[in-house]
Amino acid sequence: MSGNNSYPLLETIETPEQLRLLPTSDLPQLAAELRQFLIHSVATTGGHLSAGLGTVELTIALHYVYNTPEDRLIWDVGHQSYPHKILTGRRRLMSTLRQQGGLSGFPKRTESPYDSFGTGHSSTSISAALGMAVAARQEGCNRQVAAIIGDGAMTGGMAFEALNHAGHLKSNLLVILNDNEMSISPNVGGMHNYLAKILSGKLYSTMRDGSKNVLSIVPPMWELARKAEEHMKGMVVPGTLFEELGFNYIGPIDGHDLPTLITTMKNLRDRDEPQFLHIVTKKGKGFPPAEKNPTCYHGVTSFNPETGELCSSSTTPSYTELFGEWICDMAEQDERLIGITPAMCEGSGLVEFSRLFPQRYFDVGIAEQHAVTLAAGMACDGLKPVVAIYSTFLQRGYDQLIHDVALQNLPVLFAIDRAGLVGADGPTHAGSFDLSFLRCIPNLVIMAPADGNELRRMLYTGFLHNGPVAVRYPRGSGPDVAVEKEMKELVIGKGQVCREGRRVALLAFGSMVAPALQAAEELDATVVNMRFIKPLDEPLLIDMARHHDILITIEENAIAGGAGSAVNECLHKHAAGIPVINLGLPDRFVEHGRHEELLAQCGLDAKGIAKTVRNHLD
């Protein structure tokens, strides 16, 4: 891709220092080449596309104006950062994106000095940037700090906590709101770009500060002037909120207008106070399929860069799709069912539910804490909320899960997607810890399905239960089994013996049942689909201990504190003197790669399980 001279200007840029040597007249051509390179690169590797296409001009302007990496850029959320990676020495490595041993799909401090802060979850950039601005002040240096936050991330309360604190500290900080929604597009144009240049410039700043000094001698006159300025700006820009938080608000401006971006940023760079720059971009810009359907091209598999046609994927329904079917079926039967998601409608499989039951569907934005407590409030007054959430994002609502749901023993069903390793998205999105942090919570029932049919049964069982329930399931598809539409309830706390064998019993949880069955054929081992992490099937465990020489627990979760630990505690309580080996995710963050590669690396594929058992038997 880099050897055919299709990108004559881009190929001369290996570092931002080289970018800053270009005349501004060359930057539009660079933006065009960068956009085309990004499309063709992601078409091969897959990854996040729409967001990066919208930040091409912004990325160029930031590295053109700021002295990176000495000046700090913090991207929020990280999938905006592909153009940043390309311009900071990683263009030739983009073919390895999200592959084992290759580039991460998110900013990563160990990957490049230009990645000032690792991101994957949203709404963290302003807090991190403020911390860096405070550090610069403590060091007495003039290092600049900019946080680039996507509009979706502004729905997270953490962003406003940081804005409030930054305004109080009066730190030298620039916050850029990358707004790619269409609702305010009529406000973008020549007048607003002109006003942004004026309001960010030294003349306006000097006049404003000088007037403040003069009029402050007569307090009523200063207050009148302050209100007049606020109302004048409020008529042309939606920035009153940010002004009240202590920021100088500029915008909205066209985020694809390079001259305006560069002029405005240069003006803001020289002002030692909190600045808030509001830009408007088009998600998917420059690639018609992504412009038409930015959600579809938010995160993609490989695709045809000419037509946008996505490469075919598995025909077996994914766990996410099966959850989406179940919640629609269940909602038909029970009008109390409410669906809640923290900004993951498509990812959690709620698109059809939101269409069929719009009055019972709540997308709360990137606000996981609110999602959980909202569900708790609904459950208090007779509704049956189902919170569809990724495992990694549930971590952000942990206090609410304990304090607002479990402590009050409220009937909230948590449908926890992306449990275990998630492949190419890597450790920021892996659901490696949910069994460990869930099973210590009183009142909570925890289940893990071995296949799609069992998922439906567990969801139904959890929905009927009069207390909090978590059903955790992995990304992608499970074993290809027939899925029954009929709702069937499971007996809570009962496992299932799938295969009878000798000497060794493999106690498998959820996604590990399938590889355990494969390994058992070689080992002639017993396989138990445990189904429940809490409560455990204690009678079944004791029976396994009596009739086998060794027990092997297998889970796609951290070994520390996970399902295997629960088995250990149970056997210790019953004084069952039998060797137990716990298999699971190691005590480190597992990097990105194909899911099957990562499982093999952790010894959780059939071959790895069999090898571990043989070693212990020997």
Side-chain angles (χ1 to χ4, degrees):
M1 196 156 28
S2 60
N4 58 10
N5 208 33
S6 299
Y7 313 100
L9 194 54
L10 178 62
E11 289 180 0
T12 67
I13 306 299
E14 296 294 340
T15 66
E17 288 84 351
Q18 293 170 319
L19 166 65
R20 291 189 280 270
L21 296 176
L22 293 177
T24 55
S25 58
D26 282 352
L27 298 184
Q29 178 188 339
L30 178 64
E33 292 181 17
L34 177 54
R35 184 166 276 115
Q36 286 304 307
F37 180 91
L38 178 61
I39 292 169
H40 283 80
S41 177
V42 178
T44 302
T45 63
H48 292 95
L49 180 65
S50 295
L53 290 174
T55 61
V56 167
E57 288 81 7
L58 171 61
T59 305
I60 291 172
L62 283 165
H63 284 293
Y64 197 76
V65 171
Y66 288 93
N67 182 33
T68 54
E70 174 61 21
D71 291 338
R72 311 293 199 234
L73 303 181
I74 299 95
W75 295 91
D76 183 347
V77 287
H79 55 243
Q80 300 181 88
S81 66
Y82 288 11
H84 161 82
K85 286 178 180 278
I86 293 167
L87 291 177
T88 54
R90 287 168 278 182
R91 172 172 50 85
R92 301 177 191 274
L93 295 174
M94 287 297 288
S95 60
T96 71
L97 184 73
R98 293 159 39 96
Q99 298 172 33
Q100 191 170 28
L103 292 181
S104 168
F106 300 92
K108 188 176 181 181
R109 282 172 54 83
T110 57
E111 187 177 285
S112 169
Y114 292 93
D115 290 358
S116 302
F117 195 76
T119 54
H121 290 191
S122 81
S123 313
T124 61
S125 62
I126 304 174
S127 295
L130 178 58
M132 294 177 186
V134 170
R137 179 189 290 177
Q138 294 291 100
E139 295 170 16
C141 67
N142 192 36
R143 185 168 58 239
Q144 304 294 306
V145 184
I148 306 96
I149 185 165
D151 58 327
M154 286 298 291
T155 63
M158 184 176 176
F160 285 91
E161 293 173 18
L163 285 170
N164 183 55
H165 192 205
H168 170 73
L169 291 180
K170 302 297 181 186
S171 298
N172 182 14
L173 171 68
L174 171 63
V175 175
I176 299 175
L177 171 59
N178 174 27
D179 187 337
N180 51 33
E181 291 294 329
M182 299 300 292
S183 59
I184 65 170
S185 58
N187 292 329
V188 179
M191 177 58 74
H192 276 81
N193 289 344
Y194 175 72
L195 284 170
K197 291 179 182 179
I198 295 296
L199 295 174
S200 67
K202 290 183 178 179
L203 178 61
Y204 173 81
S205 179
T206 302
M207 292 178 61
R208 183 179 187 272
D209 293 341
S211 299
K212 178 179 179 180
N213 292 333
V214 172
L215 295 176
S216 62
I217 301 172
V218 189
M221 290 296 293
W222 165 241
E223 183 64 15
L224 177 64
R226 186 189 68 81
K227 289 185 175 180
E229 179 198 39
E230 179 181 295
H231 291 154
M232 182 275 290
K233 292 178 76 174
M235 285 188 292
V236 293
V237 293
T240 304
L241 168 64
F242 303 107
E243 294 275 358
E244 291 294 333
L245 287 171
F247 282 75
N248 179 45
Y249 174 92
I250 304 297
I253 66 173
D254 185 349
H256 301 298
D257 182 338
L258 270 166
T260 297
L261 280 174
I262 289 171
T263 301
T264 303
M265 286 183 189
K266 283 182 176 179
N267 289 336
L268 295 177
R269 181 189 58 189
D270 298 329
R271 298 180 62 174
D272 188 16
E273 60 180 328
Q275 306 289 330
F276 192 100
L277 175 60
H278 184 171
I279 71 169
V280 178
T281 61
K282 186 172 184 61
K283 202 168 184 179
K285 183 173 175 62
F287 188 50
E291 289 187 13
K292 183 178 180 180
N293 193 349
T295 299
C296 177
Y297 288 86
H298 169 75
V300 294
T301 57
S302 56
F303 62 92
N304 184 321
E306 307 303 326
T307 65
E309 182 181 359
L310 299 175
C311 295
S312 59
S313 56
S314 172
T315 56
T316 303
S318 68
Y319 283 102
T320 302
E321 291 167 339
L322 292 171
F323 163 74
E325 293 174 6
W326 172 83
I327 196 172
C328 290
D329 294 343
M330 195 70 240
E332 289 279 4
Q333 296 185 24
D334 194 327
E335 63 183 13
R336 297 174 300 163
L337 186 150
I338 302 292
I340 301 172
T341 183
M344 294 304 297
C345 179
E346 291 82 10
S348 292
L350 288 174
V351 173
E352 187 67 6
F353 177 84
S354 67
R355 186 185 69 82
L356 294 175
F357 306 97
Q359 300 305 313
R360 295 155 65 182
Y361 166 73
F362 294 87
D363 184 341
V364 303
I366 303 175
E368 294 87 357
Q369 294 172 304
H370 169 57
V372 176
T373 304
L374 174 70
M378 291 176 174
C380 282
D381 279 355
L383 297 178
K384 295 284 285 184
V386 178
V387 180
I389 189 168
Y390 286 11
S391 173
T392 186
F393 299 145
L394 181 58
Q395 295 165 186
R396 311 184 91 184
Y398 189 54
D399 178 66
Q400 290 68 32
L401 174 59
I402 296 173
H403 189 273
D404 299 335
V405 176
L407 180 61
Q408 304 183 92
N409 201 27
L410 294 171
V412 177
L413 173 59
F414 292 90
I416 304 174
D417 203 335
R418 268 59 167 186
L421 300 174
V422 292
D425 280 341
T428 58
H429 285 61
S432 303
F433 313 110
D434 54 71
L435 294 185
S436 301
F437 70 69
L438 289 174
R439 76 174 193 86
C440 61
I441 302 175
N443 295 332
L444 185 63
V445 173
I446 310 168
M447 305 181 236
D451 56 50
N453 191 57
E454 200 164 72
L455 171 66
R456 278 185 69 96
R457 297 188 67 182
M458 287 184 175
L459 290 167
Y460 182 60
T461 302
F463 185 77
L464 296 182
H465 182 65
N466 190 30
V469 176
V471 179
R472 59 104 71 173
Y473 46 94
R475 184 177 191 171
S477 305
D480 189 7
V481 299
V483 177
E484 303 172 24
K485 297 290 284 184
E486 181 184 356
M487 298 289 187
K488 292 183 179 180
E489 189 176 1
L490 292 171
V491 178
I492 289 179
K494 292 298 180 183
Q496 174 194 34
V497 177
C498 301
R499 184 187 191 280
E500 296 278 3
R502 300 181 307 108
R503 296 191 64 191
V504 178
L506 305 180
L507 311 178
F509 294 85
S511 61
M512 291 292 96
V513 173
L517 284 168
Q518 295 175 36
E521 292 299 317
E522 178 183 339
L523 300 166
D524 190 20
T526 296
V527 177
V528 180
N529 172 12
M530 292 298 296
R531 286 182 171 164
F532 291 85
I533 294 85
K534 188 175 183 178
L536 282 172
D537 190 340
E538 295 194 9
L540 180 57
L541 281 177
I542 300 306
D543 185 63
M544 291 295 110
R546 286 175 179 158
H547 294 95
H548 295 83
D549 298 335
I550 187 171
L551 302 183
I552 312 289
T553 68
I554 315 170
E555 61 190 300
E556 196 173 347
N557 184 84
I559 295 174
S565 294
V567 171
N568 298 345
E569 293 159 11
C570 171
L571 295 172
H572 178 74
K573 181 178 70 174
H574 291 281
I578 182 172
V580 182
I581 305 301
N582 301 135
L583 300 184
L585 301 181
D587 188 22
R588 60 179 172 80
F589 291 102
V590 179
E591 295 297 339
H592 56 276
R594 289 191 300 119
H595 186 235
E596 55 269 30
E597 292 175 337
L598 302 182
L599 287 179
Q601 180 187 113
C602 297
L604 294 178
D605 59 348
K607 183 178 179 181
I609 294 168
K611 180 179 179 181
T612 299
V613 173
R614 283 197 306 271
N615 288 342
H616 282 88
L617 289 177
D618 292 342

